[in-house]
Amino acid sequence: MYKISMVSLGCPKNQVDAEMMLSSLKNGGYEIAAEEAEADAIIINTCGFIEDAKKEAIENILEAARYKKTGKCRALIVTGCLAERYRDDVTEEIPEVDVCVGIGSNGRICDIVKNAIEGKKQNCYGEKYELDLNADRILGGYPFSTYLKVADGCDNCCTYCAIPKIRGRMRSRRIEDCVAEAKILAERGVKELIVVAQDTTAYGEDIYGKSMLPELLRELCKVEGLHWIRTLYTYPDRITDELLDTVASEEKIVKYFDIPIQHVNGEILKRMNRTGDYNTLSALIDKIRAKIPDVTIRTTLITGFPGETEEQFSELARFVKEKRFERLGCFTYSAEEGTVAAEFSDQIDEQTKVDRMENIMEQQLTVAAEKNEEKIGSVTEVLIEGWDDYIKCYFGRTPADAPDVDGKIFFMADRPLVLGDFVKVQINDCIDYDLLGELI
Ligand code: SF4
């Protein structure tokens, strides 16, 4: 049978799509090639929601295209958000690409690949809702930590965001389907389950008429074998008392909130088609910290949104200084064609966007280092992820660290340890975003 290779880019939700396609390909008799050079077909599962992501996707596509000359590759297939968003433009503008597959056709990947290898190259775009959210997966990444995608699409329609156009309206999975998958994942050895969607706090609104995230989390806590349950991509307006109480009261739920607020100036938020302002967001952060004292709050900000004045930016910088987020990411505004904000006449120049982003991240590095200093001498639980042969110690994450976006903890141990186990570590030092410690 044919060998395939898959490269998946972008966010955890896209990674889950890739894992589903890998599973159906494996069940379809394909072999997963160890090396891209051996593959008869290479699939690049792309991200495509902002400029940088598109560049990365094109780099990976051109990189893989080399194997059509140097390797066994007879079909280069592009799936994911870039494919869904740009469709035939992908094959027209990148002739190395043989087939472009929209997200609604992921379920037909077996036939698409076979046809492409055998020379029948046809782009495929099923309806977005055809994407099966309950399909089986072959897990990438660590076998003990993975994502649970509970919905796809988004109804919030922020003016700068292309995702609703790419992924469509929000479609939630039923609670029982999510719990059933969680049980399978736990039986397969998953101990940390990370709940994701474009807006996890909106989970269930489309099929149950109200947010069902608290209910879902409580059900997931009943799944044996899961040790940590983490939620990413919550929406500030939908952080309810019920959600706070659920997170505070359930031991398995890590005290971690990922709340992209994007900005704090009321006028800017309005133009983003978001609500709130400095005071409402400040009150929200204070409320979460009052309910869950040892909580870790991560946020994401955008600098250089059209029309952003020096005063409005200073307001944002002041908020970051005052609120001292445990974790923070900041991106420059990217004018995405087809979005409302890209049509705004008062676009900001690139250098100003970058200067403002760097200003925020400089501040945040200080805050993060100070917050890490405060942890020295304390003991934390750690999920062991690996061994660093260069510095000869183990590394892992604390409950305060989400994969890929947050820091790590590096620690010495006086005995061999098992990856995927949870241990207690005394924190002795820190370097920027990372912690150093020793096993106790
Ligand atoms: S909530 Fe997130 S995914 Fe949805 S439109 Fe806004 S930025 Fe995009």
Side-chain angles (χ1 to χ4, degrees):
M1 190 46 178
Y2 298 128
K3 287 186 178 180
I4 57 106
S5 173
M6 167 89 77
V7 175
S8 191
L9 307 170
C11 71
K13 292 146 277 181
N14 213 29
Q15 180 187 327
V16 170
D17 292 355
E19 293 171 351
M20 288 177 170
M21 285 190 273
L22 273 178
S23 174
S24 69
L25 287 159
K26 196 109 200 281
N27 296 338
Y30 289 84
E31 195 186 321
I32 299 173
E35 304 286 331
E36 279 185 310
E38 295 166 23
D40 299 294
I42 299 175
I43 303 170
I44 310 292
N45 189 47
T46 59
C47 174
F49 87 115
I50 53 170
E51 207 48 41
D52 290 352
K54 290 184 262 182
K55 280 197 196 113
E56 186 195 24
I58 293 164
E59 279 160 19
N60 277 269
I61 290 168
L62 297 178
E63 172 82 21
R66 286 184 313 115
Y67 293 107
K68 294 175 85 173
K69 294 201 180 74
T70 61
K72 293 199 184 116
C73 182
R74 286 181 276 161
L76 178 54
I77 296 160
V78 172
T79 61
C81 292
L82 188 87
E84 179 65 27
R85 185 175 181 185
Y86 294 103
R87 302 196 162 197
D88 291 357
D89 293 353
V90 174
T91 40
E92 279 155 26
E93 288 172 29
I94 316 174
E96 292 86 347
V97 174
D98 297 294
V99 181
C100 184
V101 181
I103 59 172
S105 296
N106 285 5
R108 284 184 268 143
I109 196 70
C110 283
D111 294 339
I112 292 169
V113 170
K114 183 171 178 299
N115 290 340
I117 291 172
E118 294 166 3
K120 286 176 261 151
K121 299 172 179 175
Q122 182 161 19
N123 295 345
C124 305
Y125 311 115
E127 295 299 328
K128 298 180 200 302
Y129 61 75
E130 287 179 64
L131 178 65
D132 178 3
L133 301 178
N134 296 314
D136 194 14
R137 299 155 58 189
I138 292 182
L139 300 186
Y142 294 115
F144 43 80
S145 171
T146 197
Y147 300 97
L148 181 72
K149 182 169 154 178
V150 296
D152 199 44
C154 187
D155 297 342
N156 294 333
C157 299
C158 303
T159 57
Y160 54 84
C161 184
I163 292 172
K165 280 202 173 61
I166 300 172
R167 308 301 295 201
R169 301 289 312 265
M170 182 178 69
R171 306 170 306 284
S172 300
R173 302 168 69 187
R174 305 197 64 77
I175 286 189
E176 49 271 31
D177 294 332
C178 297
V179 173
E181 185 183 355
K183 285 183 179 152
I184 293 167
L185 293 171
E187 279 153 21
R188 289 183 185 167
V190 169
K191 296 174 182 164
E192 177 188 34
L193 195 65
I194 307 168
V195 176
V196 295
Q198 271 76 19
D199 174 357
T200 42
T201 35
Y203 168 72
E205 284 180 4
D206 54 326
I207 54 176
Y208 299 109
K210 67 175 186 115
S211 170
M212 291 294 275
L213 181 60
E215 172 99 12
L216 171 66
L217 290 174
R218 290 192 291 268
E219 289 304 312
L220 292 174
C221 286
K222 297 174 188 160
V223 175
E224 274 190 37
L226 295 180
H227 187 81
W228 281 353
I229 294 169
R230 186 185 303 275
T231 302
L232 299 180
Y233 312 109
T234 64
Y235 197 83
D237 300 19
R238 293 192 175 90
I239 308 282
T240 60
D241 287 342
E242 187 192 0
L243 179 60
L244 292 177
D245 293 340
T246 301
V247 173
S249 60
E250 294 281 357
E251 201 185 324
K252 283 186 182 180
I253 302 179
V254 292
K255 312 311 172 212
Y256 183 99
F257 272 90
D258 169 39
I259 316 173
I261 61 173
Q262 312 300 8
H263 212 287
V264 297
N265 173 267
E267 185 47 39
I268 293 271
L269 285 167
K270 213 155 118 213
R271 296 184 81 205
M272 287 180 166
N273 190 31
R274 295 173 71 97
T275 61
D277 60 23
Y278 194 107
N279 297 329
T280 59
L281 289 164
S282 178
L284 174 66
I285 304 299
D286 294 349
K287 182 177 171 183
I288 297 170
R289 286 179 171 155
K291 281 245 181 178
I292 312 171
D294 59 345
V295 71
T296 293
I297 302 180
R298 156 171 274 281
T299 196
T300 310
L301 306 173
I302 294 176
T303 56
F305 186 78
E308 185 188 54
T309 63
E310 266 311 321
E311 292 67 40
Q312 290 167 331
F313 172 69
S314 309
E315 199 183 337
L316 181 64
R318 188 157 44 81
F319 190 86
V320 169
K321 202 173 190 147
E322 184 191 310
K323 289 294 137 187
R324 294 169 53 76
F325 288 95
E326 286 72 22
R327 310 271 182 264
L328 182 146
C330 187
F331 299 90
T332 56
Y333 168 74
S334 173
E336 290 304 314
E337 83 271 2
T339 63
V340 174
E343 303 307 316
F344 290 168
S345 58
D346 44 1
Q347 302 289 329
I348 305 275
D349 67 278
E350 280 310 310
Q351 194 52 53
T352 303
K353 294 179 190 174
V354 173
D355 293 347
R356 289 174 179 175
M357 181 269 286
E358 288 174 352
N359 175 307
I360 295 278
M361 289 318 292
E362 226 170 273
Q363 264 194 161
Q364 182 57 24
L365 184 55
T366 312
V367 170
E370 287 165 0
K371 290 238 171 206
N372 272 350
E373 288 277 343
E374 290 158 16
K375 289 182 180 174
I376 293 178
S378 68
V379 173
T380 180
E381 187 175 37
V382 170
L383 169 57
I384 309 168
E385 289 184 319
W387 168 261
D388 187 312
D389 212 34
Y390 183 71
I391 50 177
K392 303 284 179 229
C393 73
Y394 287 97
F395 64 87
R397 285 180 291 115
T398 74
D401 304 310
D404 304 324
V405 289
D406 295 331
K408 299 261 184 218
I409 182 164
F410 297 83
F411 62 100
M412 310 304 282
D414 56 2
R415 58 186 182 272
L417 300 174
V418 179
L419 305 192
D421 274 3
F422 292 88
V423 290
K424 294 280 181 215
V425 171
Q426 161 118 13
I427 300 168
N428 298 335
D429 203 347
C430 57
I431 304 176
D432 295 339
Y433 297 106
D434 296 326
L435 296 168
L436 308 175
E438 63 185 303
L439 181 74
I440 55 168

